Amino acid sequence: MRCVIARFPFDFIKSEVQTLMAGVEPEDATGPCAVIDDRTYPVKQVGQVITGLDRRDFTALELTRALSRLGFTCVTAPVAGRLGSVTDF
C-alpha cells in the first residue's frame, strides 16, 4: 500500500511491517498506539522503525491512518497519571 508520510512516499506491506517490528521491544504505550503481533507499540516508534525518519518529521495521525489502512488495530493508550483518582477532603 502506498502512503505519504512527512511528504515522502512509502510502499508498505503488512507482513513487512510485522517483520521489521518483530525484534523491537515496545516502549511504554501512551497516546496513539498500534497492536502488532499482540504487542502494543506507540505509533511514533513504529513510524521511526519502518520509515527510518526521525519521530519529529511525522505526526502520529499520519502513522495511525497508514497502519489502520494496512489492517492493524490502532488504539489510544492512557497517559500515565491521567487515570483519575478519588481523593478524600
Side-chain angles (χ1 to χ4, degrees), residues 44-57:
K44 288 277 201 161
Q45 180 184 13
V46 176
Q48 183 177 20
V49 171
I50 66 174
T51 66
L53 298 172
D54 188 283
R55 295 178 191 203
R56 295 172 291 181
D57 293 337

Side-chain angles (χ1 to χ4, degrees), residues 27-33 76-85:
E27 296 174 358
D28 291 335
T30 58
C33 297
T76 301
V79 177
R82 308 247 338 222
L83 298 176
S85 60

Side-chain angles (χ1 to χ4, degrees), residues 2 5 7 10 16 21 31 45 50-51 53-55 59 65 67 72 75 78 82 84 89:
R2 177 164 283 246
I5 297 174
R7 298 182 313 266
F10 291 94
E16 288 178 345
M21 296 306 295
Q45 180 184 13
I50 66 174
T51 66
L53 298 172
D54 188 283
R55 295 178 191 203
T59 66
R65 286 179 180 161
L67 294 170
F72 293 107
V75 297
R82 308 247 338 222
F89 291 100

Side-chain angles (χ1 to χ4, degrees), residues 15-39:
S15 61
E16 288 178 345
V17 173
Q18 290 169 315
T19 301
L20 288 169
M21 296 306 295
V24 178
E25 193 66 31
E27 296 174 358
D28 291 335
T30 58
C33 297
V35 179
I36 301 173
D37 293 333
D38 297 326
R39 299 174 97 181

